[in-house]
């Protein structure tokens, strides 16, 4: 019963406080579970072992890309060769912990990164990204923008 009440509260808070859902042009008329599922998957697989700032920064990159290219969060997450967990490790449903994660990271927090930060990689990877400018490191990821 407590989980059901928590879920209802989180959904209510989401509906009351969140303005856009992965699309810079339109505000959704209802909660889009598919979009939440995509972004929760990205946060969990890319930064699940990190603290709030690192998780929020990963979301910021997904959101920034969605706004830049007028795509949905799912379009960004499912884009070929962008996220290593998709499609093999993509979770297909949301549970109460996922809704809590979504609320804690996306709804209840301000962005960590500017809107022009569109790329990142784990600290153990060494890509040759000469055309990108390093912005900052947050926990296990390094974030970049165009020069």
């Amino acid at each position: 019963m407590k989980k059901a009440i928590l879920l209802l509260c989180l959904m209510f808070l989401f509906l009351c406080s969140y303005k856009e859902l992965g699309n810079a042009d339109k505000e959704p008329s209802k909660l889009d579970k598919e979009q939440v599922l995509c972004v929760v998957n990205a946060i969990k697989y890319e930064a699940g072992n990190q603290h709030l700032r690192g998780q929020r920064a990963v979301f910021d990159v997904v959101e920034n890309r969605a706004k830049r290219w007028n795509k949905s969060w799912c379009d960004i997450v499912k884009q070929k060769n962008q996220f290593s967990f998709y499609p093999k490790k993509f979770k297909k449903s949301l549970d109460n912990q996922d809704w809590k994660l979504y609320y804690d990271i996306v709804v209840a927090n301000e962005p960590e990164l500017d809107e022009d930060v569109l790329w990142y990689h784990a600290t153990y990877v060494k890509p040759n990204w000469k055309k990108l400018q390093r912005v900052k490191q947050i926990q296990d990821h390094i974030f970049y923008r165009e020069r």
Side-chain angles (χ1 to χ4, degrees):
M1 183 67 172
K2 288 182 183 179
K3 287 183 179 182
I5 293 171
L6 174 64
L7 179 60
L8 288 173
C9 289
L10 289 173
M11 288 176 71
F12 175 76
L13 289 170
F14 168 78
L15 290 171
C16 290
S17 63
Y18 199 61
K19 295 177 185 147
E20 12 183 291
L21 201 56
N23 190 332
D25 287 19
K26 19 181 188 174
E27 191 169 320
S29 58
K30 63 179 183 168
L31 181 65
D32 188 335
K33 290 181 185 176
E34 181 185 10
Q35 298 304 312
V36 173
L37 179 63
C38 288
V39 82
V40 165
N41 268 285
I43 293 167
K44 287 173 80 170
Y45 282 103
E46 296 291 317
N49 63 339
Q50 296 183 33
H51 297 294
L52 180 78
R53 288 186 65 228
Q55 292 178 340
R56 177 59 201 218
V58 165
F59 168 73
D60 289 345
V61 169
V62 172
E63 174 71 350
N64 291 349
R65 290 177 182 181
K67 286 181 178 180
R68 170 71 65 93
W69 293 297
N70 196 24
K71 303 277 186 182
S72 72
W73 292 340
C74 286
D75 291 338
I76 299 302
V77 169
K78 294 177 179 181
Q79 188 177 6
K80 188 175 181 178
N81 299 324
Q82 291 300 305
F83 292 92
S84 61
F85 69 88
Y86 184 80
K88 293 179 182 175
K89 296 180 182 176
F90 191 83
K91 185 178 172 183
K92 305 231 186 287
S93 63
L94 294 164
D95 60 27
N96 289 345
Q97 288 298 332
D98 295 330
W99 285 107
K100 181 180 180 334
L101 173 85
Y102 177 77
Y103 180 79
D104 289 347
I105 303 304
V106 177
V107 178
N109 277 288
E110 296 296 317
E112 282 290 328
L113 302 170
D114 293 335
E115 288 185 8
D116 63 345
V117 178
L118 300 171
W119 297 275
Y120 69 91
H121 62 77
T123 53
Y124 59 83
V125 177
K126 305 289 185 220
N128 187 12
W129 288 356
K130 292 180 180 176
K131 293 183 179 181
L132 300 179
Q133 175 187 4
R134 181 180 170 148
V135 174
K136 68 168 88 170
Q137 180 175 337
I138 301 176
Q139 296 166 354
D140 296 339
H141 289 102
I142 301 171
F143 296 87
Y144 296 84
R145 67 170 51 101
E146 291 176 316
R147 287 192 186 269

